[in-house]
Amino acid sequence: MVRIKFLGAAQTVTGSKFHLSYNELDILIDCGMFQGLKELRELNWQPLEVDIPSVKYVLLTHGHLDHTGYLPRLLKQGFKGKILGTAPTLAITEIILRDSAKIHEEEAEKANKESYSRHHPALPFYTLEEAEEIISRFSSVPLDQWQDLGHEVKVKYTHNGHILGATYITVNAGGKDFLFSGDIGRPDDLLLRDPVIPQWADYLFLESTYGDRQHPDEDVESLLVDLVQKTIRDGGILLIPSFAVERLQLLMFILWRLYQNNRIPGIPIFIDSPMGSDVLNVFREYPAWHKLSNPDFKAMCKHMTVVSSYRDTWNTIDDPRPKIVIAGSGMLTGGRILTYLTKKLEKNNTTILLVGYQAEGTRGRKLLEGEKELKIYGKFYQVEASIVHLESLSAHADQGELISWLKDIRNIPEQVFLIHGEMNAMQGFKEKIESAYGWSVRIPELYESVTLW
């Protein structure tokens, strides 16, 4: 029997973690942090409800924090196994874990210094030393080749768009295919190749972030042109909170192309994301994984100013010129963007452009829902900035694209489990799949355990 326990991304978007046990082999598929709502974030501090010392492998679909950010916490629970992913995924995960550890340490230090935490002392979620130790357990795997894990279990990684290195993972246990979708990318992406559509799944674990909606048909370039013109006219700043992986590089490419085509002037563009800067090096190292030519990549990077130090962040804030700043993080949960907000959120010549999914409970979602003040580092700031939302740059497939991703599956899956979505999205997507394909679809609960086959 195969046993699956849903340790995250069950009736919520974040914290992807799935425990699979078969024939004395225990593995985790993804190992992400919960983000957003306080009650979810507090779950990060709880030990996982499985025997971690018995886990031999962690299989990573891709490098995003909500799929990898819990990895160092496994050490405290006795993990001694290997972590498998594609080479770009592991490179990105290294960057994310080191950056995240540094932020955890800095925020704990700041909370202790300014006494705004209810914990005394405030502790980092994990340290840089713990991040380095877990990174030492990384081992890369090729695409489209079965990897034998022993105990009659093998796994295969298949390209899935979304971000550099992202895959879906098929676990074959006892002759049955258990397909974990990870996050599914979009067709016709400007930077990445189209996702490979699966052809077989006995059991399917399917993301549903945008399961109840279609991305709008937006003219992204024209909207950006209008916002740049407004920023110049107002003498202000266009702040773009961005995920450091793929989204930031996509924004850079679009803005550079607009400049090349004389649609925007040479307005200063600052990239203030140490992690995003490091990810640019991953793009440079793995050209086969994206569409950018080397000359275009070099020209794009040369056109923009990469902010390296925190001192330069303050210099950028003090720079009186109209400007564009792209900074992490994408949902305003941490990172350099928060420093900009403390100085620019209360200015009416500031525009904040939200370009990705905003999970429940995040500052980004609060801005979308019209909140008039945000709490940052223990203080409240009034929202005087203009808030603009651009949905069509999402790296997640929408409902129609998800349904299309399923179209070549030749068999009838014995069960589809919807994961990685908010409840409304999953309910709508469940009905859509049942209507389109007649498959059996379930929405598992957090910490639910199921026995299959």
Side-chain angles (χ1 to χ4, degrees), residues 51-116:
D51 182 25
I52 294 302
S54 71
V55 173
K56 297 298 187 290
Y57 298 97
V58 179
L59 316 179
L60 300 181
T61 60
H62 66 287
H64 273 150
L65 189 70
D66 61 332
H67 292 256
T68 66
Y70 192 86
L71 282 170
R73 297 287 296 187
L74 295 182
L75 296 171
K76 297 179 184 295
Q77 299 168 57
F79 177 71
K80 299 187 186 311
K82 290 185 178 180
I83 298 162
L84 307 182
T86 65
T89 287
L90 296 182
I92 288 167
T93 303
E94 284 190 33
I95 293 166
I96 284 179
L97 292 184
R98 288 184 178 125
D99 184 81
S100 181
K102 187 176 179 182
I103 290 172
H104 291 317
E105 290 181 337
E106 289 173 350
E107 289 185 347
E109 182 180 356
K110 184 179 178 69
N112 289 323
K113 184 178 179 181
E114 299 181 12
S115 301
Y116 62 77

Side-chain angles (χ1 to χ4, degrees), residues 48-335:
L48 296 183
E49 296 182 1
V50 295
D51 182 25
I52 294 302
S54 71
V55 173
K56 297 298 187 290
Y57 298 97
V58 179
L59 316 179
L60 300 181
T61 60
H62 66 287
H64 273 150
L65 189 70
D66 61 332
H67 292 256
T68 66
Y70 192 86
L71 282 170
R73 297 287 296 187
L74 295 182
L75 296 171
K76 297 179 184 295
Q77 299 168 57
F79 177 71
K80 299 187 186 311
K82 290 185 178 180
I83 298 162
L84 307 182
T86 65
T89 287
L90 296 182
I92 288 167
T93 303
E94 284 190 33
I95 293 166
I96 284 179
L97 292 184
R98 288 184 178 125
D99 184 81
S100 181
K102 187 176 179 182
I103 290 172
H104 291 317
E105 290 181 337
E106 289 173 350
E107 289 185 347
E109 182 180 356
K110 184 179 178 69
N112 289 323
K113 184 178 179 181
E114 299 181 12
S115 301
Y116 62 77
S117 172
R118 61 186 175 89
H119 302 286
H120 304 288
L123 298 174
F125 185 56
Y126 50 79
T127 65
L128 187 56
E129 181 180 354
E130 290 166 334
E132 294 294 349
E133 184 174 346
I134 204 73
I135 287 168
S136 72
R137 300 182 179 277
F138 286 6
S139 181
S140 66
V141 294
L143 283 175
D144 302 321
Q145 295 180 25
W146 288 105
Q147 309 294 309
D148 188 358
L149 303 186
H151 301 275
E152 298 182 344
V153 176
K154 57 185 179 178
V155 300
K156 183 170 66 173
Y157 290 67
T158 308
H159 172 75
N160 208 24
H162 186 58
I163 67 169
L164 205 71
T167 59
Y168 62 83
I169 296 175
T170 305
V171 180
N172 182 277
K176 294 280 187 176
D177 282 350
F178 298 79
L179 194 156
F180 293 83
S181 75
D183 288 350
I184 300 168
R186 306 187 63 194
D188 303 318
D189 188 275
L190 290 175
L191 294 186
L192 304 178
R193 293 184 287 112
D194 287 357
V196 175
I197 295 177
Q199 298 187 349
W200 193 276
D202 293 301
Y203 295 93
L204 177 59
F205 302 81
L206 181 60
E207 76 116 322
S208 47
T209 308
Y210 285 97
D212 63 341
R213 73 193 87 166
Q214 310 286 343
H215 293 311
D217 185 15
E218 297 171 314
D219 187 341
V220 173
E221 293 191 351
S222 292
L223 176 63
L224 283 170
V225 168
D226 291 343
L227 292 177
V228 169
Q229 291 173 344
K230 177 181 183 298
T231 300
I232 294 172
R233 188 169 60 248
D234 294 346
I237 182 172
L238 174 57
L239 273 179
I240 310 179
S242 177
F243 301 104
V245 186
E246 203 271 336
R247 191 72 45 78
L248 182 143
Q249 293 78 27
L250 178 59
L251 286 164
M252 290 175 65
F253 177 68
I254 294 173
L255 289 167
W256 173 73
R257 191 166 68 174
L258 289 175
Y259 173 75
Q260 288 291 104
N261 293 334
N262 296 314
R263 296 192 64 190
I264 62 172
I267 183 173
I269 302 174
F270 296 91
I271 309 301
D272 197 346
S273 170
M275 186 164 56
S277 177
D278 289 339
V279 172
L280 285 172
N281 292 327
V282 181
F283 269 74
R284 190 177 291 110
E285 187 176 353
Y286 297 100
W289 281 82
H290 62 82
K291 297 178 182 177
L292 273 177
S293 70
N294 190 50
D296 284 349
F297 182 79
K298 287 182 177 179
M300 176 185 79
C301 293
K302 187 176 180 180
H303 179 65
M304 301 173 190
T305 301
V306 177
V307 176
S308 55
S309 70
Y310 198 53
R311 176 180 293 180
D312 287 338
T313 294
W314 286 102
N315 290 338
T316 303
I317 289 171
D318 293 337
D319 186 329
R321 296 176 296 172
K323 54 189 170 287
I324 301 170
V325 174
I326 307 174
S329 66
M331 293 188 286
L332 311 182
T333 55

Side-chain angles (χ1 to χ4, degrees), residues 6 8-14 18 205-213 357 360 399 402-403 416-434 441-446 448:
F6 297 86
Q11 302 186 16
T12 183
V13 170
T14 66
F18 310 98
F205 302 81
L206 181 60
E207 76 116 322
S208 47
T209 308
Y210 285 97
D212 63 341
R213 73 193 87 166
Y357 185 81
E360 284 186 295
Q399 186 190 78
L402 289 169
I403 289 294
V416 178
F417 295 93
L418 294 187
I419 55 173
H420 208 282
E422 293 176 6
M423 198 60 187
N424 287 342
M426 288 191 289
Q427 289 283 12
F429 194 31
K430 178 179 186 292
E431 294 170 8
K432 187 69 175 179
I433 294 172
E434 290 170 340
V441 182
R442 280 186 58 186
I443 300 174
E445 296 180 1
L446 187 61
E448 181 179 348

